[in-house]
């Protein structure tokens, strides 16, 4: 139930969709002669889109998440590497059978690099299909094609392709691997996603070393206009809002212990 409610809620609340719904509400209000209500809806939609696309607000919201876990020094020994899904274009790969990467593809590239550096380490790819309305191939199903092409043997891969969100990533991976005391596992995911991911793996009883990748901010963000192109700014704002809402929802539901987990 949590999965479906979260997906439906996010469909309505993400900036672009929310602006569209507000514009639609304003249009309907105008049709029925509610001019003040129509103006309010249109102005609110304009503010949401302009702040998200034309300002650095999204980057300023995302940066604290990315700074929460610094990338540590590599340990001498690594028993396993866990990479969370979210790096592939699932719908395209389902149709074409390839391994097209999206903006989060650094997760998979970094995993291949780490796997080459630690040739004895197991490589766990955790990620099924997390979309409610769109069809797509889960990352755990696509990853063997890319990792194999990059020199990671299939005998090292362990695929968890049932999870639909980060909570299930942690729980299902813990059940699948049953980590032993003293083992060293790296957790690879996007830097902005690491606070929630690390907290969920800790809560599931799977100790990991956070290995953040896929940074979206420079770390020197400030208030400004047109710091990036509007499409990228809107995407960053959307990611930031989604991640902060996710942290709040997981904390309120008891799935993590703190609203803003850190090291």
């Amino acid at each position: 139930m949590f999965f479906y409610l979260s997906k439906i809620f996010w469909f309505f609340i993400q900036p672009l969709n929310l602006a569209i719904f507000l514009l639609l509400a304003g249009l309907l209000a105008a049709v029925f002669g509610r001019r003040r209500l129509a103006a309010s809806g249109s102005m609110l939609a304009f503010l949401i889109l302009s702040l998200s696309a034309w300002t650095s607000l999204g980057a300023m919201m995302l940066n604290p998440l990315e700074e929460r876990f610094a990338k540590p020094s590599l340990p001498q020994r690594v028993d396993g590497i866990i990479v969370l899904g979210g790096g592939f274009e699932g719908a395209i790969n389902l149709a074409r059978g390839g391994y097209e990467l999206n903006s989060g593809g650094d997760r998979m590239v970094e995993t291949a690099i780490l796997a080459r550096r630690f040739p004895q380490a197991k490589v766990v790819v955790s990620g099924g299909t997390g979309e409610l309305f769109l069809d797509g191939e889960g990352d755990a199903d696509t990853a063997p094609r890319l990792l194999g092409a990059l020199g990671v043997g299939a005998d090292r891969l362990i695929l968890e392709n049932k999870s639909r969100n980060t909570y299930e990533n942690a729980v299902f991976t813990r059940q699948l691997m049953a980590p032993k005391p003293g083992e060293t596992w790296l957790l690879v995911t996007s830097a902005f996603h690491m606070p929630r991911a690390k907290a969920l793996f800790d809560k599931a009883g799977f100790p990991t070393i956070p290995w953040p990748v896929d940074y979206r901010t420079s770390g020197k963000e400030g208030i400004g206009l047109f710091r990036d192109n509007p499409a990228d700014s809107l995407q960053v704002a959307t990611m930031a809002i989604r991640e902060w809402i996710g942290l709040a929802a997981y904390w309120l539901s008891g799935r993590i212990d703190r609203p803003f987990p850190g090291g």
Side-chain angles (χ1 to χ4, degrees):
M1 182 61 70
F2 182 92
F3 170 77
Y4 293 105
L5 289 176
S6 65
K7 292 297 182 181
I8 293 171
F9 175 78
W10 178 242
F11 176 78
F12 287 100
I13 206 68
Q14 59 182 291
L16 183 58
N17 284 359
L18 181 58
I20 291 172
F21 291 131
L22 286 169
L23 287 172
L24 178 59
L27 178 61
L28 291 174
V31 169
F32 289 99
R34 304 293 297 273
R35 294 184 178 181
R36 183 174 297 179
L37 186 60
S40 297
S42 300
M43 180 58 67
L44 187 55
F46 171 77
L47 285 174
I48 291 171
L49 287 178
S50 60
L51 288 173
S52 298
W54 294 345
T55 77
S56 58
L57 177 63
M60 292 176 65
M61 294 173 63
L62 200 68
N63 183 247
L65 294 165
E66 294 195 333
E67 299 296 334
R68 197 62 170 169
F69 286 91
K71 186 175 291 185
S73 300
L74 277 173
Q76 294 295 317
R77 189 194 82 256
V78 171
D79 297 289
I81 303 161
I82 303 165
V83 58
L84 302 188
F88 288 111
E89 292 286 355
I92 295 174
N93 293 327
L94 179 64
R96 297 183 179 275
Y99 38 77
E100 299 297 328
L101 298 171
N102 61 26
S103 58
D106 285 2
R107 303 183 188 191
M108 295 298 165
V109 175
E110 184 72 8
T111 297
I113 293 171
L114 290 169
R116 297 289 294 270
R117 187 168 293 172
F118 298 100
Q120 303 305 316
K122 302 171 185 175
V123 179
V124 181
V125 183
S126 178
T129 302
E131 298 293 337
L132 187 58
F133 301 112
L134 301 176
D135 289 329
E137 186 176 57
D139 280 25
D141 296 319
T142 307
R145 297 198 292 270
L146 175 64
L147 294 176
L150 294 176
V152 182
D155 58 318
R156 298 177 59 191
L157 299 180
I158 301 168
L159 309 176
E160 185 287 293
N161 60 4
K162 302 298 182 184
S163 57
R164 302 169 297 175
N165 54 32
T166 314
Y167 171 76
E168 292 182 353
N169 287 149
V171 172
F172 294 169
T173 303
R174 172 68 175 81
Q175 294 172 352
L176 183 64
M177 299 312 302
K180 300 177 178 60
E183 289 185 340
T184 300
W185 289 81
L186 298 180
L187 178 62
V188 180
T189 190
S190 299
F192 68 86
H193 184 235
M194 186 59 77
R196 184 156 54 113
K198 172 62 175 163
L200 285 165
F201 271 79
D202 288 346
K203 188 80 170 181
F206 199 143
T208 59
I209 295 175
W211 195 259
V213 297
D214 181 34
Y215 287 87
R216 309 300 178 97
T217 67
S218 67
K220 300 178 181 179
E221 274 63 36
I223 300 173
L225 292 172
F226 304 108
R227 296 289 184 90
D228 202 347
N229 71 74
D232 286 347
S233 293
L234 178 59
Q235 183 185 45
V236 167
T238 301
M239 288 178 178
I241 292 169
R242 180 176 185 177
E243 198 59 33
W244 283 111
I245 290 175
L247 282 167
Y250 276 54
W251 175 58
L252 291 172
S253 64
R255 297 187 174 195
I256 59 177
D257 294 329
R258 291 184 289 167
F260 190 26

